[in-house]
mmCIF file of all heavy atoms in Angstrom:
data_model
loop_
_atom_site.group_PDB
_atom_site.id
_atom_site.type_symbol
_atom_site.label_atom_id
_atom_site.label_comp_id
_atom_site.label_asym_id
_atom_site.label_seq_id
_atom_site.Cartn_x
_atom_site.Cartn_y
_atom_site.Cartn_z
ATOM 1 N N THR X 79 -4.976 -9.126 5.844
ATOM 2 C CA THR X 79 -3.864 -8.145 5.916
ATOM 3 C C THR X 79 -3.326 -7.892 4.499
ATOM 4 O O THR X 79 -3.672 -8.640 3.561
ATOM 5 C CB THR X 79 -2.671 -8.725 6.740
ATOM 6 O OG1 THR X 79 -2.086 -9.813 6.019
ATOM 7 C CG2 THR X 79 -3.085 -9.170 8.139
ATOM 8 N N GLY X 80 -2.467 -6.904 4.403
ATOM 9 C CA GLY X 80 -1.830 -6.636 3.106
ATOM 10 C C GLY X 80 -0.992 -7.782 2.672
ATOM 11 O O GLY X 80 -0.962 -8.159 1.488
ATOM 12 N N LEU X 81 -0.258 -8.408 3.652
ATOM 13 C CA LEU X 81 0.623 -9.497 3.236
ATOM 14 C C LEU X 81 -0.187 -10.710 2.804
ATOM 15 O O LEU X 81 0.232 -11.458 1.908
ATOM 16 C CB LEU X 81 1.564 -9.877 4.408
ATOM 17 C CG LEU X 81 2.833 -9.065 4.431
ATOM 18 C CD1 LEU X 81 3.674 -9.427 5.641
ATOM 19 C CD2 LEU X 81 3.641 -9.243 3.155
ATOM 20 N N TYR X 104 8.714 -2.722 0.963
ATOM 21 C CA TYR X 104 8.286 -3.121 2.284
ATOM 22 C C TYR X 104 8.964 -4.416 2.726
ATOM 23 O O TYR X 104 8.961 -5.402 1.976
ATOM 24 C CB TYR X 104 6.746 -3.280 2.263
ATOM 25 C CG TYR X 104 6.201 -3.736 3.572
ATOM 26 C CD1 TYR X 104 6.231 -2.912 4.695
ATOM 27 C CD2 TYR X 104 5.703 -5.002 3.716
ATOM 28 C CE1 TYR X 104 5.761 -3.334 5.914
ATOM 29 C CE2 TYR X 104 5.204 -5.451 4.959
ATOM 30 C CZ TYR X 104 5.231 -4.613 6.030
ATOM 31 O OH TYR X 104 4.783 -5.064 7.241
ATOM 32 N N GLU X 147 6.723 -1.474 -6.234
ATOM 33 C CA GLU X 147 6.211 -0.629 -5.167
ATOM 34 C C GLU X 147 6.656 0.786 -5.515
ATOM 35 O O GLU X 147 7.822 1.043 -5.687
ATOM 36 C CB GLU X 147 6.839 -1.065 -3.843
ATOM 37 C CG GLU X 147 6.172 -0.472 -2.623
ATOM 38 C CD GLU X 147 6.758 -1.061 -1.348
ATOM 39 O OE1 GLU X 147 6.498 -2.220 -1.038
ATOM 40 O OE2 GLU X 147 7.502 -0.323 -0.661
ATOM 41 N N ASP X 176 2.058 -2.367 -5.815
ATOM 42 C CA ASP X 176 1.624 -2.097 -4.446
ATOM 43 C C ASP X 176 1.320 -0.628 -4.325
ATOM 44 O O ASP X 176 2.199 0.228 -4.422
ATOM 45 C CB ASP X 176 2.764 -2.533 -3.465
ATOM 46 C CG ASP X 176 2.325 -2.426 -2.002
ATOM 47 O OD1 ASP X 176 1.488 -1.565 -1.705
ATOM 48 O OD2 ASP X 176 2.878 -3.191 -1.173
ATOM 49 N N THR X 178 -0.125 1.004 -1.807
ATOM 50 C CA THR X 178 -0.437 1.380 -0.421
ATOM 51 C C THR X 178 -0.110 2.808 -0.103
ATOM 52 O O THR X 178 -0.886 3.492 0.575
ATOM 53 C CB THR X 178 0.378 0.455 0.548
ATOM 54 O OG1 THR X 178 -0.011 -0.923 0.317
ATOM 55 C CG2 THR X 178 0.154 0.794 2.003
ATOM 56 N N SER X 198 -2.073 -2.689 1.322
ATOM 57 C CA SER X 198 -2.234 -2.872 2.732
ATOM 58 C C SER X 198 -3.324 -1.893 3.160
ATOM 59 O O SER X 198 -3.052 -0.671 3.278
ATOM 60 C CB SER X 198 -0.950 -2.603 3.505
ATOM 61 O OG SER X 198 -1.207 -2.619 4.890
ATOM 62 N N THR X 200 -4.517 -1.655 5.881
ATOM 63 C CA THR X 200 -4.133 -1.270 7.257
ATOM 64 C C THR X 200 -3.663 0.179 7.310
ATOM 65 O O THR X 200 -3.767 0.826 8.345
ATOM 66 C CB THR X 200 -2.927 -2.178 7.647
ATOM 67 O OG1 THR X 200 -3.220 -3.520 7.394
ATOM 68 C CG2 THR X 200 -2.521 -1.959 9.079
ATOM 69 N N LYS X 201 -3.195 0.684 6.197
ATOM 70 C CA LYS X 201 -2.516 1.995 6.175
ATOM 71 C C LYS X 201 -3.505 3.100 5.842
ATOM 72 O O LYS X 201 -4.416 3.344 6.582
ATOM 73 C CB LYS X 201 -1.319 1.911 5.208
ATOM 74 C CG LYS X 201 -0.462 0.657 5.377
ATOM 75 C CD LYS X 201 0.242 0.561 6.712
ATOM 76 C CE LYS X 201 0.889 -0.800 6.985
ATOM 77 N NZ LYS X 201 1.796 -1.295 5.951
ATOM 78 N N ALA X 211 -5.889 -4.933 7.183
ATOM 79 C CA ALA X 211 -6.681 -5.338 6.023
ATOM 80 C C ALA X 211 -5.769 -5.363 4.778
ATOM 81 O O ALA X 211 -4.735 -4.706 4.768
ATOM 82 C CB ALA X 211 -7.845 -4.386 5.789
ATOM 83 N N LEU X 329 2.149 2.998 9.224
ATOM 84 C CA LEU X 329 2.017 4.271 8.499
ATOM 85 C C LEU X 329 0.560 4.446 8.051
ATOM 86 O O LEU X 329 -0.245 3.502 8.142
ATOM 87 C CB LEU X 329 2.903 4.254 7.256
ATOM 88 C CG LEU X 329 2.620 3.145 6.227
ATOM 89 C CD1 LEU X 329 2.061 3.721 4.946
ATOM 90 C CD2 LEU X 329 3.901 2.395 5.881
HETATM 91 C C1 PLP R 1 2.306 -2.501 5.569
HETATM 92 C C2 PLP R 1 2.572 -2.771 4.167
HETATM 93 C C3 PLP R 1 2.321 -4.010 3.620
HETATM 94 C C4 PLP R 1 1.866 -5.170 4.454
HETATM 95 O O1 PLP R 1 0.557 -4.937 4.937
HETATM 96 P P1 PLP R 1 -0.010 -5.577 6.290
HETATM 97 O O2 PLP R 1 -1.405 -5.078 6.320
HETATM 98 O O3 PLP R 1 0.847 -5.072 7.412
HETATM 99 O O4 PLP R 1 0.077 -7.069 6.132
HETATM 100 C C5 PLP R 1 2.566 -4.184 2.251
HETATM 101 N N1 PLP R 1 3.046 -3.176 1.500
HETATM 102 C C6 PLP R 1 3.293 -1.963 2.003
HETATM 103 C C7 PLP R 1 3.790 -0.881 1.093
HETATM 104 C C8 PLP R 1 3.086 -1.691 3.349
HETATM 105 O O5 PLP R 1 3.373 -0.493 3.852
#
Side-chain angles (χ1 to χ4, degrees):
T79 67
L81 274 177
Y104 177 69
E147 192 175 287
D176 186 330
T178 299
S198 171
T200 311
K201 314 295 169 55
L329 61 110

